[in-house]
Amino acid sequence: TEGTGIMLIHTSIEQKLLTAFDPVFLDVIDESHMHSVAPGVESHFKVVIVTPAFDGMRLLQRHRAVNAIVATELAEKIHALALHTYTPGEWYEYYAEKPPASPKCFGGSKRDKT
């Protein structure tokens, strides 16, 4: 939170992606409230990122590039990260009005033993 010296996970992800990709559009959405987590826990995110850096990259390459930038958060703090990665041409042609919705949560967490 602001003033405490503790950076929110949401803010950390956003700043890292802005720096790494210089996107024309970026939306980092905390979807934790849609899952079985305690209030205030930041564990489930959706990222919609549009950048010319993705030109010529396949979907898997884009996801790997984003995952590499937020590797610390993925390893230590994030339970789920939904990625929607687009070039500007793809975004303006197909998705600008409404990016794909996230799937419903089926419950469970890292702590569940199955």
Side-chain angles (χ1 to χ4, degrees):
T1 57
E2 209 167 323
T4 64
I6 299 171
M7 183 181 298
L8 297 174
I9 297 167
H10 174 276
T11 304
S12 176
I13 293 169
E14 189 173 73
Q15 288 179 355
K16 286 181 175 186
L17 295 176
L18 284 169
T19 300
F21 296 105
D22 192 25
V24 296
F25 179 84
L26 175 65
D27 197 6
V28 178
I29 305 157
D30 183 352
E31 296 185 327
S32 302
H33 66 280
M34 298 167 42
H35 302 274
S36 301
V37 298
V41 171
E42 291 182 286
S43 60
H44 295 69
F45 289 89
K46 175 166 72 174
V47 171
V48 180
I49 183 169
V50 182
T51 177
F54 294 149
D55 283 335
M57 295 174 84
R58 292 177 176 230
L59 184 62
L60 182 59
Q61 293 170 311
R62 297 173 189 187
H63 286 207
R64 284 181 176 162
V66 171
N67 287 340
I69 299 302
V70 295
T72 301
E73 290 79 4
L74 283 168
E76 299 174 2
K77 301 171 183 170
I78 298 175
H79 176 71
L81 180 64
L83 297 177
H84 301 280
T85 57
Y86 307 102
T87 65
E90 293 166 343
W91 177 251
Y92 294 117
E93 185 172 349
Y94 300 111
Y95 299 105
E97 294 300 316
K98 186 176 182 197
S102 295
K104 298 271 187 221
C105 177
F106 291 107
S109 76
K110 289 184 193 178
R111 293 171 203 74
D112 289 347
K113 303 222 187 305
T114 53

